[in-house]
Amino acid sequence: MNDQAVGLTPPPEGYTDWLTELKSRIHTAQQRATLAVNRELVLLYWQIGRDILTRQAAQGWGAKVIERLALDLRAAFPEMKGFSPRNLKYMRAFAEAWPDAQFVQQAAAQLPWGHNLVLLDKLPGPETRRWYAAKAIEHNWSRNILAMQIDARLLERTGAAVTNFSTSLPKPQSDLARESLKDPYRFDFLGLTDKAREREIEIALIKHVTDFLLELGAGFAFVGRQVLLDVGGDEFFIDLLFYHLKLRCYVVIEIKGGKFKPDHLGQLGFYLTAVDAQIKHPQDGPTIGLLLCTSKNKVVAEYALRNTAQPLGVAEYKLLESLPAELQTSLPSIEQIERELAGSDDAP
């Protein structure tokens, strides 16, 4: 509704900017209030869980005390949720998993209660829970994304790609670059089997770019597919080009639909040289190359990377192992995917 419709005079100069600033401050205050409420709730749950543990150990109370406590707390606080026997047992498990009050205050209380339950249910020990908790806080993962990353074994895959970053990049950039790559990458969200061709995979990745960026990890920004490089009048095309916001550099990704071969790195290294010469800003870091293949001999990859000065990495990608015949027939063909992409390009 405009000002004339409600009988208001036009706002004075500077009012619109001030209103925008006020909205931002109010939104920030709301977020802080929500975080503060969550923090107090998680700390309360930890304290209740610790009390249950302590009293059961000291006074020999059995498991039935939790049922009694649930009835009494819900009677005393009928407007509050969270005092079911099941949730009280989670409080006990939460306190047992995190006996360190300082860690609960500094880390666990930054996550919603539902996130903490995911960590309890899906992970066996404190070290892996700490790692996933830190990542969830850093990247602001939803509960579903946290569960998905745990199921996808993110910890085991992070930093596992074969690279030469320790010799081709300065510290601490080399460590950050290594931690930014995984092995293997999971592309099962594409709905493609291991028989898919490179071009099919490439097109499907862009069609599912949100899932692709999530799998790549935080910091990757998509620049383009089949990016043209004109080198001395000859045309070359990069499969996928990204920019990494933390590393402050371009990342060239090439996809090979077979086993890794050392000569694959020659083509990728050429692309890195061209990007550094034609696209990279002087303040950007050296362009990084990532070769994705269906399989690799780790020793062969390490040998191939040993004598190159360009920052390169080699990792595998995994598609669906197999699909039922009835599901295979329902998948879109490469022609259908290309038509949909073409249609989306023409849309206003």
Side-chain angles (χ1 to χ4, degrees):
M1 184 176 294
N2 58 35
D3 294 336
Q4 293 179 345
V6 295
L8 296 176
T9 58
E13 183 178 355
Y15 175 84
T16 302
D17 291 340
W18 177 58
L19 179 60
T20 300
E21 180 187 347
L22 280 180
K23 289 178 179 178
S24 176
R25 283 156 55 184
I26 292 170
H27 181 64
T28 300
Q30 289 175 327
Q31 287 182 319
R32 288 176 178 171
T34 300
L35 291 173
V37 170
N38 173 78
R39 181 177 183 276
E40 292 302 319
L41 183 66
V42 171
L43 289 175
L44 172 65
Y45 284 175
W46 180 82
Q47 291 164 357
I48 293 173
R50 183 190 57 184
D51 284 353
I52 294 172
L53 277 174
T54 301
R55 293 177 182 277
Q56 284 184 326
Q59 302 179 27
W61 291 352
K64 288 188 176 181
V65 72
I66 291 180
E67 303 284 343
R68 174 62 183 268
L69 183 61
L71 287 173
D72 290 338
L73 288 177
R74 284 191 288 192
F77 303 97
E79 73 285 357
M80 287 186 67
K81 297 180 180 179
F83 292 138
S84 67
R86 182 171 182 268
N87 208 40
L88 288 172
K89 291 176 183 176
Y90 268 124
M91 295 177 201
R92 183 187 186 280
F94 182 58
E96 189 173 30
W98 303 119
D100 183 359
Q102 185 175 5
F103 174 80
V104 175
Q105 292 173 348
Q106 294 178 352
Q110 293 187 49
L111 292 171
W113 180 239
H115 286 57
N116 281 294
L117 297 190
V118 170
L119 296 175
L120 287 175
D121 283 339
K122 289 184 170 289
L123 296 170
E127 291 307 314
T128 53
R129 286 173 182 158
R130 285 176 186 271
W131 191 89
Y132 280 102
K135 292 297 179 182
I137 294 169
E138 179 184 358
H139 305 308
N140 196 27
W141 286 341
S142 69
R143 181 177 178 175
N144 288 339
I145 294 299
L146 172 61
M148 187 195 74
Q149 296 288 22
I150 294 172
D151 290 340
R153 304 176 68 85
L154 177 64
L155 173 58
E156 291 87 341
R157 297 186 294 128
T158 296
V162 180
T163 73
N164 65 349
F165 295 159
S166 62
T167 58
S168 61
L169 292 172
K171 284 185 173 294
Q173 188 182 26
S174 59
D175 294 334
L176 179 57
R178 180 178 57 82
E179 289 299 312
S180 298
L181 302 187
K182 305 172 185 173
D183 188 28
Y185 286 87
R186 294 170 58 110
F187 296 157
D188 46 4
F189 56 84
L190 299 180
L192 300 174
T193 68
D194 53 8
K195 295 181 180 179
R197 300 190 301 271
E198 295 168 12
R199 183 171 171 79
E200 288 180 279
I201 298 168
E202 182 187 322
I203 292 174
L205 284 173
I206 302 310
K207 184 173 177 63
H208 297 80
V209 68
T210 300
D211 293 316
F212 185 26
L213 287 171
L214 181 61
E215 174 60 12
L216 286 177
F220 282 88
F222 177 62
V223 177
R225 166 183 167 264
Q226 289 297 307
V227 176
L228 171 64
L229 296 172
D230 187 322
V231 181
D234 288 344
E235 292 185 344
F236 301 88
F237 295 89
I238 296 174
D239 283 353
L240 299 166
L241 182 63
F242 292 83
Y243 189 85
H244 199 283
L245 301 175
K246 291 185 178 180
L247 292 168
R248 298 291 178 184
C249 70
Y250 285 96
V251 180
V252 176
I253 296 181
E254 284 292 299
I255 301 173
K256 297 298 179 184
K259 187 175 181 179
F260 168 74
K261 297 179 181 178
D263 56 4
H264 291 157
L265 295 180
Q267 179 187 26
L268 183 56
F270 172 77
Y271 289 157
L272 264 60
T273 300
V275 170
D276 281 341
Q278 299 183 11
I279 302 178
K280 181 176 95 68
H281 189 276
Q283 294 182 352
D284 288 335
T287 302
I288 290 173
L290 173 61
L291 184 77
L292 296 177
C293 51
T294 56
S295 65
K296 69 178 184 303
N297 182 312
K298 185 177 180 180
V299 177
V300 171
E302 289 173 346
Y303 275 33
L305 291 169
R306 184 171 296 178
N307 292 323
T308 176
Q310 293 176 302
L312 299 169
V314 180
E316 298 176 359
Y317 63 88
K318 301 297 182 184
L319 300 170
L320 294 176
E321 294 295 331
S322 61
L323 284 175
E326 62 273 14
L327 187 56
Q328 289 181 1
T329 58
S330 67
L331 291 174
S333 66
I334 185 65
E335 292 79 11
Q336 289 174 314
I337 294 175
E338 288 179 325
R339 283 198 298 270
E340 289 186 26
L341 285 174
S344 63
D345 291 340
D346 295 336

